[in-house]
């Protein structure tokens, strides 16, 4: 009984996109948070459960499938990639439309948003200078 109480008293974390980075993140956060993991593939449910997350089926391209996520968690880690075409990220727009006003969101991007810096180290104070459509979509998502 005590174990169930501990589990439900944890703050909730919503992880959107559990690919390679998301799966590496789960063991680092599952003891501190009740983790919900968004996937578009029902076949991944067992894998996500085994990693300590509650799997949720949703399609970032279908806003109606995201509505039930609204208000689920105040802490969100957004790892899902933008669409494969265009210069805007409608997926992230669909996600942000359902987030609580006070949500704490971590959006994981790519170094491509800074352009080709020849291997030089940068941090988030570096001005963005995307040079391809994929990097433009990532910049669009962060705005």
């Amino acid at each position: 009984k005590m174990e169930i109480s501990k589990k439900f008293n944890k703050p909730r974390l919503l992880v959107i996109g559990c690919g390679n980075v998301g799966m590496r993140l789960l063991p680092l956060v599952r003891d501190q948070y009740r983790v919900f993991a968004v996937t578009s593939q029902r076949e991944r449910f067992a894998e996500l459960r085994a990693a300590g997350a509650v799997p949720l089926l949703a399609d970032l391209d279908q806003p109606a499938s995201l509505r039930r996520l609204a208000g689920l968690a105040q802490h969100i880690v957004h790892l899902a990639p933008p669409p494969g075409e265009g210069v805007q990220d409608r997926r992230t727009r669909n996600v942000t439309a359902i987030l609580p006003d006070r949500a704490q969101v971590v959006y994981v991007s790519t170094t491509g948003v800074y352009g080709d810096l020849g291997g030089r180290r940068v941090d988030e104070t570096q001005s963005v200078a995307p040079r391809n459509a994929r990097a433009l979509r990532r910049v669009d998502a962060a705005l």
Side-chain angles (χ1 to χ4, degrees):
K1 198 170 188 179
M2 179 63 126
E3 186 63 32
I4 291 174
S5 176
K6 277 182 173 180
K7 182 177 179 179
F8 288 103
N9 287 331
K10 292 180 184 179
R12 291 171 293 180
L13 173 68
L14 180 63
V15 179
I16 301 170
C18 274
N20 181 22
V21 174
M23 292 305 289
R24 291 173 187 237
L25 175 67
L26 293 180
L28 303 174
V29 298
R30 67 183 175 211
D31 291 337
Q32 295 90 352
Y33 293 93
R34 179 144 194 243
V35 181
F36 297 88
V38 175
T39 181
S40 61
Q41 303 164 19
R42 190 175 300 274
E43 309 81 54
R44 296 205 55 221
F45 277 25
E47 174 189 16
L48 292 168
R49 280 189 191 105
V54 175
L56 301 170
L57 190 65
D59 183 338
L60 302 183
D61 292 315
Q62 302 296 322
S65 76
L66 301 174
R67 286 190 194 117
R68 66 190 184 102
L69 305 178
L72 181 65
Q74 289 292 82
H75 308 282
I76 293 96
V77 176
H78 186 341
L79 300 163
E85 71 287 331
V87 294
Q88 292 186 326
D89 182 358
R90 68 182 176 278
R91 290 177 180 166
T92 296
R93 281 189 171 77
N94 291 342
V95 168
T96 56
I98 58 95
L99 294 180
D101 289 338
R102 293 189 181 132
Q104 296 176 347
V105 180
V106 173
Y107 177 77
V108 178
S109 187
T110 174
T111 57
V113 301
Y114 302 113
D116 184 358
L117 298 174
R120 185 167 51 96
R121 257 182 199 252
V122 299
D123 62 26
E124 289 78 13
T125 62
Q126 174 75 35
S127 297
V128 295
R131 294 197 179 159
N132 60 47
R134 181 176 184 268
L136 283 167
R137 290 188 296 274
R138 291 289 189 161
V139 170
D140 180 67
L143 297 178

